[in-house]
Amino acid sequence: VQLQAFGGGLVQAGGFLRLSCTGSGRTFSEYVMAWFRQAPGKEREFVGTIMGNGYITSYSDSVKGRFTISRDNAKNTVYLQMNSLKLEDTAVYYCATAPRWSSKSYEYDYWGQGTQVTVSS
């Protein structure tokens, strides 16, 4: 299984960015997809997750109302739309896949390489 995350970059506070993650090697629609992030000196943090059918999502309180996860199973791709970005959103963002719903990183068995998001003032 391979996941590739891309779309990171430098954006001003209040701006927006969309991350994408493309998967291969398993039946994409059967698995939960999630986004995590890790800022320098901090532990990896759950951002949000989406069920295989795309109908159910869950978010951390820190991003709820600003970030939206969606997926296109025909393209084996999951997206993270990030709006109203804040300085504290600066981190490396990782996509991951798991056989069941969870917000815990250890439940996810395959990970993308990460993409850097930097929010400037």
Side-chain angles (χ1 to χ4, degrees):
V1 177
Q2 287 190 326
L3 299 176
Q4 278 194 310
F6 49 95
L10 176 65
V11 62
Q12 284 192 322
F16 62 91
L17 210 57
R18 188 175 83 156
L19 305 183
S20 302
C21 173
T22 301
S24 62
R26 67 175 19 164
T27 305
F28 192 77
S29 61
E30 294 181 356
Y31 290 85
V32 173
M33 294 296 298
W35 290 94
F36 289 81
R37 66 186 182 186
Q38 189 166 19
K42 295 188 177 181
E43 293 187 354
R44 192 165 294 189
E45 174 191 20
F46 170 75
V47 173
T49 187
I50 185 167
M51 287 287 283
N53 59 19
Y55 293 143
I56 300 175
T57 56
S58 177
Y59 301 93
S60 68
D61 288 342
S62 61
V63 307
K64 197 174 296 182
R66 300 187 298 120
F67 290 12
T68 303
I69 296 177
S70 60
R71 64 192 296 163
D72 184 342
N73 288 334
K75 296 181 179 179
N76 285 2
T77 301
V78 63
Y79 304 97
L80 180 66
Q81 178 67 42
M82 305 184 293
N83 298 330
S84 302
L85 281 161
K86 303 177 180 180
L87 297 179
E88 53 264 41
D89 294 320
T90 295
V92 176
Y93 283 71
Y94 299 89
C95 57
T97 182
R100 55 185 169 273
W101 187 267
S102 177
S103 64
K104 306 298 183 185
S105 60
Y106 57 79
E107 297 275 14
Y108 287 80
D109 48 3
Y110 293 100
W111 292 77
Q113 82 284 7
T115 184
Q116 176 71 47
V117 172
T118 303
V119 183
S120 65
S121 58

